[in-house]
Amino acid sequence: MISNQIIQESIDELKNITKVDICIIDMEGIIVASTFEDKDSPQNMTDLIENFAQSPADSQIVGDYHMLKVMEEHEPLYVLITKGTGADAYMIGKIAVSQIQRLVTAYKEHYDKNNFFQNLIMDNLLLVDIYSRAKKLHIALNLPRVVYLVEAQNDKDNVSMEILKNIFNDQPGYYLTAVEQNNIVLIKELSMIDDYDEAEREAQVIVDMMNSEAMLAARVAYGTIVGEIKEVSKSYKEAKMAMDVGKIFYMEKPVNAYNTLGIGRLIYQLPINLCRIFIDEIFGDNVPDDLDDEMLITVQKFFDNNLNVSETSRQLFVHRNTLVYRLEKLHQSTGLDIRKFDDALTFKIALMVVNYMNYIDSLE
């Protein structure tokens, strides 16, 4: 529902322009907003206002007061009162009614859109309801859309939502909502169904804005681009998976897209018991979850350089023999020689599986 403050600001502006006092009263006889001085305020008209609200008349004059109805879906929502003996007071009252009704409609539509998208992404709507409500809210049915999930660390005051509202609220084709305490959902309309470059740029803009505007470290994940309104929930679920997979396997990346998760997405969907069996078969009691930072950096750099010893040693600023020694040490402790492609692939997957298992254990 529209706030009393918004109504008060609206009639204050009208009063400044027209010099005519306006009072808004709800159906319980409570003054919502008013520009009247206390001595002129229609305090003792409760019975008259109630009778007028229940009558079929659109307007009524009582002494110097003009009473008009503010309607919502053919039902009276407020009674608006102006004071004056001439036609000007009545005309200004009609203008005020029109303005308040438009404000009520706009705020109601905004609330309904938010409610619609929350229920849509949570799969709380039947297919027929999706189409009928979308049409009623003037939401296009067949436009390319992508769903972003935004999570800002240590955002105790919900600053991230305010930043996103300032960026996107006035732009067409964007819808902001929240379904969980720590995550913000942004639904964006795109120009093309396969425009992943635009989707990636938008995600990076969000991360940069969070960092520059509020010094917040943000993570952004997004699903695939969908072509129909009914598929928005699918993109949301993919964004949720991308957020989880990114936290487990790609912590160094602030932006994760569902269609670029690679093998991390596959591991994430494996049963945890199957993961434990795999690790036990590969390493037995020598699970590589206690490698020091130096060894982990060495292994990662070795993989980044396609198992090239010379280039890896150059980038690590160590002698070639030092790097070989480290790799031999890893070979002895795990039984895998990552200088060989098959062992390197096994070790890479095993490290990711161990990270996934540790993540699952941390949730228990």
Side-chain angles (χ1 to χ4, degrees):
M1 180 60 66
I2 184 172
S3 69
N4 294 353
Q5 181 181 353
I6 297 295
I7 297 176
Q8 184 67 56
E9 290 173 356
S10 179
I11 64 173
D12 282 342
E13 289 180 2
L14 283 172
K15 165 68 182 297
N16 290 335
I17 296 169
T18 65
K19 310 305 179 186
V20 172
D21 283 305
I22 302 169
C23 180
I24 309 290
I25 300 175
D26 66 16
M27 293 299 98
E28 296 178 358
I30 299 172
I31 294 178
V32 171
S34 177
T35 66
F36 280 88
E37 298 289 340
D38 288 341
K39 62 184 179 62
D40 296 323
S41 183
Q43 295 281 2
N44 302 318
M45 298 174 58
T46 304
D47 292 338
L48 290 171
I49 292 169
E50 183 177 344
N51 292 334
F52 169 63
Q54 295 174 356
S55 73
D58 293 328
S59 64
Q60 185 175 333
I61 300 175
V62 179
D64 292 340
Y65 294 102
H66 295 260
M67 294 192 296
L68 303 99
K69 291 177 183 176
V70 178
M71 308 294 287
E72 181 185 30
E73 295 184 354
H74 309 294
E75 294 292 331
L77 181 65
Y78 301 116
V79 171
L80 183 145
I81 300 175
T82 60
K83 185 178 181 182
T85 56
D88 287 350
Y90 174 78
M91 180 185 67
I92 291 164
K94 292 291 285 185
I95 293 172
V97 166
S98 176
Q99 182 168 334
I100 299 300
Q101 285 187 167
R102 288 182 181 277
L103 283 173
V104 168
T105 301
Y107 272 77
K108 185 174 185 295
E109 184 171 298
H110 173 78
Y111 171 79
D112 284 349
K113 281 186 178 180
N114 184 66
N115 181 266
F116 169 75
F117 278 110
Q118 282 185 344
N119 284 293
L120 178 64
I121 62 179
M122 298 301 291
D123 283 330
N124 291 335
L125 296 173
L126 297 173
L127 186 59
V128 64
D129 292 332
I130 292 174
Y131 287 120
S132 62
R133 289 186 62 180
K135 288 180 179 178
K136 185 177 179 180
L137 294 169
H138 309 293
I139 298 171
L141 301 178
N142 299 311
L143 279 179
R145 290 181 176 89
V146 64
V147 177
Y148 295 92
L149 204 57
V150 183
E151 182 180 293
Q153 298 177 14
N154 301 319
D155 184 14
K156 297 178 181 179
D157 299 323
N158 206 23
V159 176
S160 51
M161 175 61 92
E162 294 304 314
I163 292 174
L164 292 177
K165 283 181 179 178
N166 290 336
I167 299 172
F168 299 115
N169 252 8
D170 294 332
Q171 298 188 39
Y174 290 87
Y175 301 100
L176 269 173
T177 187
V179 293
E180 297 178 3
Q181 184 175 0
N182 298 323
N183 291 330
I184 301 168
V185 178
L186 173 65
I187 303 168
K188 171 179 167 57
E189 294 176 2
L190 298 172
S191 53
M192 294 184 291
I193 192 69
D194 58 349
D195 198 353
Y196 284 97
D197 289 340
E198 181 184 348
E200 180 71 18
R201 285 194 300 272
E202 195 75 75
Q204 196 59 56
V205 166
I206 294 171
V207 170
D208 294 342
M209 288 296 293
M210 290 290 186
N211 184 263
S212 61
E213 295 290 331
M215 302 299 290
L216 292 172
R219 299 189 66 85
V220 177
Y222 60 94
T224 55
I225 300 172
V226 296
E228 294 187 42
I229 190 71
K230 67 179 181 180
E231 296 178 320
V232 167
S233 63
K234 169 178 170 286
S235 186
Y236 168 71
K237 291 169 188 170
E238 292 168 346
K240 281 197 70 175
M241 180 183 287
M243 180 65 77
D244 289 341
V245 172
K247 289 178 182 177
I248 300 169
F249 304 117
Y250 312 113
M251 277 299 294
E252 73 283 357
K253 295 173 60 178
V255 175
N256 293 108
Y258 177 81
N259 62 345
T260 63
L261 295 177
I263 197 169
R265 192 172 90 199
L266 176 63
I267 294 172
Y268 180 79
Q269 297 178 90
L270 292 175
I272 191 65
N273 290 337
L274 188 60
C275 293
R276 299 189 195 282
I277 292 171
F278 170 75
I279 293 299
D280 186 61
E281 289 176 350
I282 298 298
F283 298 111
D285 295 330
N286 300 316
V287 179
D289 58 357
D290 58 351
L291 298 177
D292 57 39
D293 291 341
E294 182 182 68
M295 184 61 77
L296 287 172
I297 292 172
T298 299
V299 170
Q300 187 58 53
K301 189 64 70 175
F302 189 57
F303 288 155
D304 291 343
N305 288 290
N306 299 315
L307 314 186
N308 187 310
V309 174
S310 299
E311 183 61 22
T312 302
S313 61
R314 186 185 70 80
Q315 292 188 20
L316 289 173
F317 303 103
V318 299
H319 194 276
R320 177 188 174 92
N321 290 343
T322 302
L323 177 60
V324 171
Y325 169 76
R326 291 179 187 175
L327 298 180
E328 284 290 349
K329 184 180 177 182
L330 183 67
H331 184 193
Q332 292 172 9
S333 64
T334 65
L336 295 173
D337 184 359
I338 64 172
R339 289 168 293 184
K340 299 177 181 178
F341 176 77
D342 286 349
D343 282 2
L345 180 61
T346 300
F347 189 78
K348 173 74 171 178
I349 294 173
L351 275 182
M352 295 179 73
V353 170
V354 169
N355 287 340
Y356 175 58
M357 290 166 56
N358 291 337
Y359 172 77
I360 296 299
D361 290 341
S362 71
L363 299 178
E364 296 177 352

